[in-house]
Amino acid sequence: MTIKAFMDRFDPKHIKPNEPLKYYAYTKTGGPADVLAFPHTIDELQEMIRVANQLDLPFMTLGNSSNVIVSDKGIEGIVFMLRELNRVKVQGHLLSAEAGAKLVDVSRAACEAKLTGLEFACGIPGSVGGAIYMNAGAYGGEIKDLPLEVTVVTREGNLKTYTNEELEFSYRHSLVQENGDSVVRASFTLEEGQQAAIRGKMEELNALRQSKQPLDLPSCGSVFKRPKGHYTGQLIQEAGLQGFTIGGAQVSTKHAGFIVNINDATAADYLAVIHHVQSVIKEKYNVDLETEVRIIGRPMA
């Protein structure tokens, strides 16, 4: 009844009840959200959050769902998917992008405007909001390295703006992981550069990614954080775990830091492979592998 009360308040074209998240997650796994909502504006997201609070419904926000494993039992309450908040605007040296904009598209927009600084993000398969959330990085660059300002919607439904320093960035971490704010916009101050050089760097990084990563199969990207003093993929490879498979989830034979969906994998398959890899690496090398991927939703045990 409470779920229906939420749904009755909004455009039915922006709401999907009992919607399987495997249709949206990069792993192609995950059970249903009680309600999957697609706010089309920041104002609509604010109102949805306020109504969820009034009805005492749990809620969470997802971007491009590229670095998550969603429970086979789904997610309770409301899931706000921000893919419709995808506008990108460039004015002088300032690039502003809404949270649902893909990093690939944002880096291309920067290149078209002859602005440098976002080349490292050109192949990251996430959204701007997810990149802020986890301080995404690749090939020597991280979001925290850029001068930026981030607008969020708080858990109460209010707008708030943070500076780079206030976001408390660290390795694969930011303040919004702790306070539950929903990133809705980021503004990057970039430097003018030579378009040919910017494009060349992006092409170089994309070619490197294509050659090293299993982009032809569903995955959640890099599964584990890099442990101090080690390279995760190298540890897993040296432990002989490449190709290790449970159900439809397999440690990639192309890059050991990835777990790929080779045959209708479930979230349970993914978690079983993750736990096995962690156990073996701990036993062989006394190294604790911490997951970079977010594991979300109802408990499966």
Side-chain angles (χ1 to χ4, degrees):
M1 196 68 182
T2 311
I3 291 288
K4 185 178 184 306
F6 177 89
M7 294 175 59
D8 287 345
R9 294 283 295 271
F10 300 101
D11 186 333
K13 290 182 288 190
H14 299 182
I15 301 285
K16 292 189 178 183
N18 204 37
E19 177 75 355
L21 290 165
K22 68 179 180 180
Y23 298 146
Y24 305 90
Y26 268 53
T27 58
K28 303 302 180 188
T29 65
D34 290 347
V35 172
L36 187 59
F38 298 90
H40 282 51
T41 65
I42 293 171
D43 286 345
E44 187 178 26
L45 174 63
Q46 288 182 263
E47 182 61 18
M48 285 180 169
I49 286 177
R50 287 167 181 158
V51 171
N53 281 323
Q54 291 166 9
L55 297 171
D56 201 27
L57 289 170
F59 62 86
M60 67 177 302
T61 303
L62 286 178
N64 213 30
S65 304
S66 60
N67 200 226
V68 297
I69 296 172
V70 180
S71 165
D72 295 321
K73 295 187 176 181
I75 298 177
E76 181 182 4
I78 317 297
V79 174
F80 301 117
M81 188 160 281
L82 303 188
R83 66 180 189 177
E84 300 299 327
L85 298 180
N86 57 18
R87 299 161 191 85
V88 180
K89 180 181 178 182
V90 180
Q91 189 170 9
H93 287 195
L94 188 69
L95 185 152
S96 179
E98 290 183 329
K102 296 180 181 179
L103 286 174
V104 172
D105 295 333
V106 173
S107 62
R108 285 175 182 161
C111 179
E112 289 303 311
K114 302 177 183 178
L115 296 176
T116 183
L118 276 168
E119 290 90 331
F120 74 90
C122 66
I124 297 176
S127 64
V128 167
I132 300 298
Y133 181 92
M134 67 174 295
N135 182 28
Y139 300 112
E142 286 183 296
I143 291 295
K144 73 175 180 61
D145 300 331
L146 299 170
L148 57 80
E149 193 173 80
V150 173
T151 302
V152 304
V153 176
T154 67
R155 298 290 295 181
E156 295 72 40
N158 301 317
L159 285 178
K160 185 174 181 178
T161 300
Y162 291 107
T163 63
N164 185 309
E165 293 74 19
E166 290 170 332
L167 283 163
E168 299 177 10
F169 285 125
S170 58
Y171 178 62
R172 301 298 177 261
H173 175 271
S174 73
L175 177 66
V176 293
Q177 293 182 18
E178 311 298 332
N179 62 20
D181 289 344
S182 298
V183 175
V184 290
R185 186 189 299 115
S187 297
F188 303 92
T189 302
L190 304 173
E191 295 182 3
E192 189 173 345
Q194 297 294 320
Q195 190 175 58
I198 295 168
R199 184 174 287 118
K201 185 64 175 179
M202 290 168 63
E203 290 173 353
E204 175 191 341
L205 293 180
N206 279 326
L208 192 60
R209 189 180 293 271
Q210 286 277 354
S211 69
K212 292 192 172 185
Q213 296 182 8
L215 303 182
D216 57 325
L217 292 168
S219 80
C220 54
S222 182
V223 176
F224 302 103
K225 294 180 181 179
R226 180 184 296 177
K228 190 173 182 178
H230 299 277
Y231 288 98
T232 307
Q234 183 179 355
L235 281 177
I236 296 171
Q237 185 175 351
E238 290 176 353
L241 289 169
Q242 276 189 287
F244 177 82
T245 305
I246 293 178
Q250 181 184 80
V251 177
S252 170
T253 57
K254 188 172 185 178
H255 189 310
F258 287 66
I259 297 174
V260 292
N261 184 344
I262 60 169
N263 186 21
D264 295 325
T266 63
D269 294 340
Y270 263 86
L271 294 184
V273 173
I274 286 171
H275 293 152
H276 179 75
V277 169
Q278 288 173 320
S279 176
V280 170
I281 298 303
K282 178 66 173 177
E283 182 179 346
K284 280 182 173 288
Y285 307 110
N286 195 31
V287 172
D288 294 305
L289 288 184
E290 182 182 352
T291 52
E292 176 176 315
V293 63
R294 295 170 60 200
I295 300 164
I296 58 177
R298 291 184 173 96
M300 290 187 289

